[in-house]
Amino acid sequence: SAAPAAADVAAAGAADYPPKPPKDPEEGIVEARAAEIMEAFMVYDNGDGEIPTEMLGPVIRSVIKNVTDTELQDMIERFGPSDEIETLDFPEVLCIMRPRLLQDAGIEQDFSFLFAKKEKLDSARNVMILTGPPGSGKGSQAPKIVEVLGIPQLSTGDMLRAAVAAGTEVGKEADSVMKSGGLVSDTLVVNIIKDRIKDEDCKKGFILDGFPRTTEQAKMLDEMLAESKEKVTSTVALEVPDALLTERICGRWIHQASGRSYHASIPEFKPKSLKEGDTPSAETMLDNDTGEPLMQRPDDTEEALSARLQKYHAQTVPVLAHYEPAGIVTRVDASVAPDL
């Protein structure tokens, strides 16, 4: 299947603005005026399918002839974007105008949910969890998502090392635990995340990669975010069948001295020494340049992968079930050839 586009993955974690009201039997009223709104929209189109936010008022006036200055200001304040948003596309403009169009048609609806959600969106950070089994492509997708959303990727390992290097209080505590041969506790990891997301680069949000790995960790993360009246806004799961992961990961071989990578089942990455029908082994997998035997990383064997996948399904997959009732889980088909 086709590789998931980074923009598609990122979109799964981006908060929709403006939020769409529930479907109603009078949907045709809005659709009937869509062409009229589009005509007004195109007058102010900047050439990229968007209008400058300050042109929202003129577009509304072009369509709703009897709108007063007070009503117009009220519409923009209640349904319009925050000050940080500079442009609007057509669906956003249509959604902003929708309540007034229905009102003019004599249809009463409770749009209070829009006000509450808009207020939340204007102030909330985008808190994304990116998860997936080993070999699902998180390493190659995450940087692309970072570029699209403009928020940093935070891995627990990187945050731990940075906290230790910076000599923060939680960093010193983590350093002491690790030097004594102990495991860093979930509480300590959450506190390190809590410190890290105070940094300026996390102002608009952040992507958590590698945490939470268990439902208990997810609950601890939720409690920490709730202290600042925040919560996880999206959970993106990269999904690949176990059989394909086994083929993908267990086919990887490397030349230890140079770091050159090979793959036993991907034609363009096969070594010249592996002939049709050969079973991959140290005798049949040889470096193209030196002829030296290739090796597999300890984690790339079937036994090691099987144990890692069992742990992922038993501990991490339930994290998705934890967030599914909130409607923030998006599953992405990552069944594509890996980047070597």
Side-chain angles (χ1 to χ4, degrees):
S1 61
D8 292 339
V9 180
D16 289 336
Y17 182 82
K20 294 179 177 60
K23 285 283 186 180
D24 60 72
E26 296 84 8
E27 195 69 41
I29 292 170
V30 179
E31 293 177 358
R33 302 197 65 179
E36 182 184 354
I37 299 170
M38 174 60 82
E39 185 177 348
F41 179 90
M42 291 176 67
V43 172
Y44 302 99
D45 191 330
N46 61 10
D48 294 322
E50 299 174 324
I51 62 168
T53 303
E54 59 267 23
M55 293 297 103
L56 177 59
V59 170
I60 293 174
R61 285 190 181 280
S62 297
V63 178
I64 305 174
K65 309 295 185 184
N66 62 341
V67 66
T68 66
D69 291 344
T70 302
E71 290 171 338
L72 177 63
Q73 188 62 33
D74 184 57
M75 281 180 66
I76 293 175
E77 287 180 357
R78 298 171 83 192
F79 298 102
S82 62
D83 293 339
E84 289 75 23
I85 296 177
E86 297 180 351
T87 60
L88 297 166
D89 60 21
F90 180 70
E92 290 171 338
V93 172
L94 191 64
C95 191
I96 291 168
M97 296 178 65
R98 185 179 191 279
R100 176 57 185 256
L101 296 175
L102 293 180
Q103 178 185 326
D104 285 355
I107 298 168
E108 296 297 328
Q109 274 201 333
D110 178 15
F111 289 99
S112 58
F113 76 96
L114 274 174
F115 312 146
K117 189 165 185 179
K118 175 188 176 297
E119 182 180 350
K120 185 185 297 181
L121 288 177
D122 284 352
S123 60
R125 289 192 288 187
N126 186 2
V127 181
M128 174 193 279
I129 293 172
L130 179 63
T131 186
S136 60
K138 284 193 300 156
S140 58
Q141 288 293 338
K144 300 173 185 176
I145 301 172
V146 167
E147 184 178 353
V148 172
L149 291 182
I151 57 177
Q153 170 196 5
L154 308 180
S155 74
T156 50
D158 289 344
M159 284 187 284
L160 274 169
R161 287 186 285 273
V164 170
T168 64
E169 287 303 313
V170 288
K172 291 176 183 177
E173 189 177 345
D175 191 36
S176 174
V177 171
M178 290 186 288
K179 283 181 176 176
S180 67
L183 294 174
V184 177
S185 69
D186 291 344
T187 300
L188 193 51
V189 172
V190 169
N191 285 334
I192 287 175
I193 294 173
K194 185 177 181 179
D195 277 359
R196 174 64 180 86
I197 62 178
K198 293 175 183 177
D199 291 351
E200 183 65 22
D201 64 337
C202 294
K203 184 177 180 180
K204 293 183 179 180
F206 48 90
I207 302 165
L208 290 174
D209 178 7
F211 191 91
R213 293 181 185 272
T214 67
T215 304
E216 188 58 37
Q217 290 177 350
K219 291 177 180 178
M220 294 176 70
L221 174 65
D222 293 345
E223 290 173 4
M224 182 270 286
L225 291 171
E227 291 174 8
S228 54
K229 297 183 179 179
E230 293 184 292
K231 62 182 178 181
V232 174
T233 57
S234 59
T235 301
V236 178
L238 303 181
E239 298 193 329
V240 183
D242 285 2
L244 182 54
L245 288 173
T246 300
E247 178 185 342
R248 180 183 291 183
I249 293 177
C250 298
R252 297 191 301 207
W253 291 70
I254 62 167
H255 181 238
Q256 190 171 19
S258 67
R260 283 186 287 271
S261 297
Y262 296 86
H263 201 283
S265 62
I266 300 177
E268 58 265 39
F269 294 110
K270 282 184 180 181
K272 298 173 184 176
S273 59
L274 186 66
K275 307 303 180 185
E276 193 68 34
D278 282 353
T279 299
S281 67
E283 290 72 37
T284 59
M285 299 289 286
L286 307 176
D287 180 53
N288 287 343
D289 292 351
T290 66
E292 295 171 346
L294 304 177
M295 64 164 288
Q296 282 190 298
R297 299 183 182 93
D299 281 349
D300 289 350
T301 63
E302 269 196 63
E303 295 76 18
L305 177 61
S306 177
R308 292 167 71 195
L309 288 176
Q310 285 180 15
K311 187 174 181 180
Y312 176 78
H313 290 302
Q315 296 185 352
T316 307
V317 169
V319 172
L320 302 181
H322 172 73
Y323 288 112
E324 274 178 336
I328 60 172
V329 174
T330 301
R331 301 171 187 271
V332 177
D333 180 9
S335 302
V336 293
D339 293 324
L340 294 182

